[in-house]
Amino acid sequence: QSSGSSGINAEYGEDVDDELENEVREECSKYGSVKKVVVYQEAQSDAEDAEVVVKLFVQFHKTSECEVAVKRLHGRWFGGRAIDASLYDEQKFLRDDLSG
């Protein structure tokens, strides 16, 4: 079995809540066996009031599951936001480099 990582990026701003990780895991489990979900909040500058972009990373057990998830989720709406889904470099993900 090969493993893969699928980065699913959506801007959520201040709307991130404790349920987001579970909601993403539940939705993505429709496309394969989810190994890990990471909710990453990235400030767009060092300013105190900088815009925050929330990136969602989902790791599946198989690369083929990642590919299906990306095809099915890209352009869909989730939590009131359009999803920009793409495959993410697995080595970067494993190094916790989520800035890409």
Side-chain angles (χ1 to χ4, degrees):
Q1 273 188 37
S2 61
S3 66
S5 300
S6 174
I8 300 173
N9 305 319
E11 292 185 17
Y12 280 86
E14 301 295 318
D15 298 335
V16 175
D17 61 27
D18 295 337
E19 294 299 312
L20 182 59
E21 182 178 331
N22 290 331
E23 291 170 358
V24 170
R25 180 179 298 278
E26 183 178 319
E27 181 65 26
C28 289
S29 68
K30 296 176 182 176
Y31 310 110
S33 179
V34 174
K35 195 173 192 179
K36 184 177 181 181
V37 175
V38 176
V39 178
Y40 178 67
Q41 298 184 54
E42 182 178 73
Q44 298 303 291
S45 74
D46 291 332
E48 192 171 310
D49 62 346
E51 177 188 7
V52 174
V53 172
V54 176
K55 296 180 179 182
L56 307 172
F57 293 86
V58 182
Q59 184 180 29
F60 290 86
H61 284 276
K62 296 180 182 177
T63 302
S64 59
E65 296 169 337
C66 291
E67 293 166 350
V68 169
V70 167
K71 287 178 186 173
R72 299 263 170 87
L73 292 171
H74 186 74
R76 281 193 45 203
W77 289 79
F78 184 81
R81 307 280 185 201
I83 297 171
D84 177 14
S86 60
L87 291 176
Y88 193 74
D89 183 276
E90 185 174 10
Q91 294 308 310
K92 284 185 178 181
F93 180 80
L94 294 174
R95 288 192 313 265
D96 290 327
D97 178 358
L98 306 178
S99 62

